[in-house]
Amino acid sequence: MKVLLADDAEVVRLMIGRFVESLGHELILASDGLEAVERYISEQPDMVLMDMLMPRLDGPEAGCRIKAAAGARWVPIVLVTAVEEVSKLADAMETGADDYLLKPVNLRMLEAKIKAIERTVALNRQVREQAAKLAEYYDHAEEEKRVARHLMEQLVSRERLSDPQLHSWIAPAESLSGDLIAAARTPGGVLHLMLADGIGHGLTAALNVLPLTQPFYAMSERGFSLGDILLEMHRKVRQVLPAGRFVALAFVAVDFAKQRIEVWNGGIPDLRLFGERGELLKRWPSQHLPLGILPLSELSLKTERFAYQQRANLVLCSDGLLEARNQLGEAFGAARLALACAGQPPALARDRTVAALTAFLDGARCHDDVSLAIVDLDPRASRPLPIAPDVSELPSLADADWRYALSLGPDELRHLHTVPHIMAFIAQLPPLSQARADIFLVLTELFVNALDHGLLELSSALKNDADGMDQYLQERVRRLTQLKSGRIDIELSGHDLGGRNMLLIRVVDSGRGFDLSRLDGLDAQRPSGRGIALVRALCVSLRFYGSGNTVEACYLPEPAHV
């Protein structure tokens, strides 16, 4: 240790100084209080032995200046004095001294005090070193959180949460949330909504949900189905996250045009559908395990479907909301959630829920991330049927500027994502890329009709029962799996129509044909029947040939606005 000894008596400096050096310490000498302050600043000793009464500056005042110069660094100051008056010694201790020794100095006691202080100084040095390491670790952790927060904001695409039919809220338990809400529209205008809840909270939980964002957005934008996207997200979670990590997830697809909801729930609290009067219309409890638990081959993609006829609020939330506890240990619960958001406009329902949770907690801290999403299911939000353009003369197939053809057999029909595959080509054609939503709808309806009614000979009557859509889809899968022969040919061609680019879509299936009057789209008043009616309105021409197994649609995009 470096020891500063300050005393105006040379004999004291000599006697105590030699003893301090004999103990193996480095000695620094000062003859008065002012010099003691100067030597402390220049030498930075570990402890100070100082006379109480000295010229120019006495011991207590010099101690105060040394303490001020030391700042956060602890420097023990021991007064060596002949003053025995208790009140003066107490005043000196209060103004900066840490201990005292009475003259004549007992060298054995001085040695004991130096050794005790040496131990304390060593401990204090360790504390300061650990504090510095903790400060460095904290700064590093904060930088990691800043980068992770920026990365999440980029990957989550928060601007997409501004969808007019969606109202959401996330409150992280720490600086980063392990809950994720993501929304995207398909080319056909279907709203895809995902609420994911990673294990725990904070940075680790946030990293658990990040692998979901890329397949969700990329595949939704290309028009992939809910099941296809789920399968890819499950593959990503299994591939990227370490063993034992999984993600609870609810995935909702809302088709506003057909007024239909499709739900997959794996480990998220019950999704609830509230009517305008606050009545509970439907609940979707968890039917599946979270993503990442089962092997890929065992993941169930079975979804639940529901057709709505009235305005309603579809409410999704994480367990952090329902399990939030106040200072009495009570959970917020589903009843309070229903009371806050049932029968309210969606934006108000969200705000009321946030206010109700804040009042319920009354200053208590949430120990888990909280997320809430409310979808406004307003039948008036469905896309109105457009007025078809009036075009007197249509192009012939022989006058095409370009052609794109695809011929699909049973294996391709089972495994190829046909419409997203074609849309990837359409997206690269500047005259048509701006009309992707319309083209997606036309292609989807024509292809599905060719496959379902043409090759698979499915009857639309199956959809009319309460569970009809599930039965229809199950039968569709069964027939497609057993399909041994048959083809669907799709041809797209571009034509110049008076300086405007027209797209002609021709779909031919090898089936026996079907009764055109039974096509879903011919009854536009039924949600399930808006498909072909919408195609008719979007296209300048829609013509069926033969027994209904050949169809040609001419689509003319709106002129680009300059």
Side-chain angles (χ1 to χ4, degrees):
M1 263 194 331
K2 291 171 70 173
V3 179
L4 171 61
L5 172 61
D7 200 299
D8 59 330
E10 185 177 354
V11 64
V12 174
R13 294 199 302 271
L14 181 63
M15 179 187 69
I16 296 179
R18 286 184 176 178
F19 181 73
V20 169
E21 288 180 321
S22 71
L23 296 177
H25 302 295
E26 180 182 348
L27 183 65
I28 304 167
L29 293 175
S31 58
D32 57 51
L34 194 58
E35 185 183 2
V37 175
E38 294 171 351
R39 295 302 301 273
Y40 171 78
I41 294 173
S42 62
E43 301 291 341
Q44 295 290 301
D46 297 302
M47 71 170 292
V48 178
L49 295 172
M50 188 159 50
D51 190 12
M52 190 167 176
L53 300 175
M54 292 184 293
R56 294 209 294 172
L57 197 66
D58 64 18
E61 179 61 27
C64 287
R65 295 191 186 185
I66 289 173
K67 290 285 188 181
R73 179 171 177 259
W74 181 66
V75 182
I77 297 176
V78 178
L79 294 176
V80 181
T81 180
V83 176
E84 298 186 24
E85 190 176 336
V86 174
S87 61
K88 291 185 178 180
L89 290 172
D91 290 342
M93 298 285 287
E94 289 178 354
T95 57
D98 297 289
D99 205 345
Y100 67 90
L101 278 170
L102 293 176
K103 294 179 180 179
V105 175
N106 185 309
L107 295 181
R108 179 70 185 88
M109 181 60 70
L110 175 60
E111 179 183 7
K113 285 186 180 291
I114 290 176
K115 287 182 178 179
I117 288 174
E118 187 176 20
R119 292 192 297 269
T120 306
V121 167
L123 288 173
N124 184 264
R125 186 179 295 115
Q126 290 179 6
V127 169
R128 283 190 282 115
E129 289 173 354
Q130 291 174 356
K133 289 181 180 179
L134 285 174
E136 182 181 356
Y137 173 79
Y138 175 80
D139 291 341
H140 182 68
E142 287 300 304
E143 176 63 14
E144 285 185 339
K145 289 178 182 178
R146 186 190 69 79
V147 173
R149 190 180 301 110
H150 175 76
L151 180 63
M152 286 197 68
E153 288 174 354
Q154 295 301 311
L155 293 177
V156 170
S157 299
R158 294 190 181 277
E159 68 275 5
R160 306 191 197 205
L161 296 180
S162 60
D163 191 292
Q165 305 306 122
L166 175 64
H167 304 271
S168 62
W169 173 63
I170 289 183
E174 296 182 2
S175 59
L176 290 170
S177 175
D179 286 2
L180 168 68
I181 298 176
R185 292 274 186 161
T186 70
V190 174
L191 174 65
H192 281 181
L193 173 64
M194 172 177 67
L195 190 152
D197 185 356
I199 300 176
H201 46 81
L203 178 59
T204 303
L207 293 176
N208 287 342
V209 299
L210 279 185
L212 305 177
T213 58
Q214 191 275 333
F216 175 81
Y217 287 120
M219 297 179 73
S220 292
E221 288 176 351
R222 292 181 60 189
F224 281 85
S225 69
L226 185 152
D228 292 330
I229 300 173
L230 275 171
L231 194 63
E232 183 59 26
M233 289 196 298
H234 183 67
R235 181 183 289 110
K236 282 281 187 183
V237 170
R238 296 274 298 179
Q239 190 178 68
V240 174
L241 297 187
R245 290 282 171 178
F246 55 85
V247 179
L249 181 137
F251 196 153
V252 176
V254 182
D255 190 332
F256 295 100
K258 296 182 178 179
Q259 298 174 25
R260 187 179 298 154
I261 310 167
E262 185 177 8
V263 174
W264 188 94
N265 187 356
I268 294 295
D270 293 3
L271 280 64
R272 292 171 170 81
L273 186 66
F274 295 103
E276 285 191 287
R277 295 184 298 276
E279 71 277 24
L280 181 64
L281 301 176
K282 176 72 175 173
R283 288 174 54 182
W284 288 271
S286 174
Q287 300 283 356
H288 308 279
L289 292 175
L291 296 185
I293 295 179
L294 296 174
L296 193 64
S297 59
E298 296 180 20
L299 177 69
S300 171
L301 300 176
K302 180 178 173 55
T303 60
E304 296 182 73
R305 293 169 179 81
F306 181 81
Y308 63 93
Q309 305 296 329
Q310 65 181 76
R311 185 166 190 171
N313 289 346
L314 176 62
V315 180
L316 300 75
C317 70
S318 64
D319 56 4
L321 175 61
L322 301 182
E323 296 173 6
R325 297 187 177 276
N326 62 14
Q327 296 177 351
L328 299 177
E330 299 173 318
F332 185 71
R336 289 185 176 88
L337 173 64
L339 185 63
C341 67
Q344 302 293 333
L348 181 59
R350 176 198 58 196
D351 296 343
R352 281 169 54 93
T353 304
V354 174
L357 178 63
T358 303
F360 172 77
L361 292 173
D362 192 24
R365 177 175 171 270
C366 282
H367 296 286
D368 196 4
D369 303 314
V370 175
S371 56
L372 172 70
I374 303 176
V375 182
D376 182 7
L377 300 180
D378 186 354
R380 294 169 296 181
S382 62
R383 179 177 181 176
L385 295 179
I387 301 174
D390 182 16
V391 176
S392 56
E393 184 177 350
L394 297 176
S396 68
L397 286 174
D399 301 327
D401 295 330
W402 55 264
R403 293 182 188 278
Y404 176 98
L406 198 62
S407 186
L408 308 170
D411 286 340
E412 291 78 21
L413 291 169
R414 276 190 285 268
H415 301 113
L416 181 66
H417 301 288
T418 305
V419 176
H421 178 80
I422 297 174
M423 290 305 299
F425 167 75
I426 293 293
Q428 300 179 59
L429 299 176
L432 299 177
S433 61
Q434 300 302 316
R436 284 184 299 167
D438 289 349
I439 297 172
F440 179 86
L441 283 170
V442 173
L443 273 171
T444 300
E445 290 298 330
L446 298 186
F447 174 74
V448 168
N449 277 326
L451 178 62
D452 290 10
H453 303 304
L455 288 190
L456 303 182
E457 300 182 357
L458 286 164
S459 171
S460 297
L462 285 173
K463 303 177 185 178
N464 296 335
D465 298 332
D467 299 324
M469 181 55 72
D470 285 336
Q471 295 175 10
Y472 182 91
L473 292 173
Q474 290 172 13
E475 182 63 17
R476 186 180 193 269
V477 170
R478 187 187 70 80
R479 295 192 187 189
L480 185 58
T481 302
Q482 297 177 354
L483 188 66
K484 302 297 183 184
S485 62
R487 303 194 72 78
I488 293 180
D489 296 321
I490 303 172
E491 182 176 355
L492 279 65
S493 56
H495 303 265
D496 184 287
L497 192 68
R500 295 178 65 183
N501 295 279
M502 175 174 280
L503 174 66
L504 191 147
I505 303 171
R506 180 183 175 90
V507 180
V508 181
D509 69 78
S510 61
R512 294 184 299 178
F514 51 89
D515 184 355
L516 295 180
S517 65
R518 292 192 290 115
L519 275 174
D520 280 351
L522 297 182
D523 182 4
Q525 299 305 313
R526 292 184 298 137
S528 62
R530 287 177 59 90
I532 292 298
L534 185 58
V535 172
R536 287 192 189 279
L538 286 171
C539 296
V540 297
S541 172
L542 181 67
R543 296 174 290 191
F544 289 89
Y545 299 98
S547 58
N549 57 354
T550 298
V551 59
E552 286 183 3
C554 290
Y555 175 76
L556 187 64
E558 290 290 332
H561 296 287
V562 180

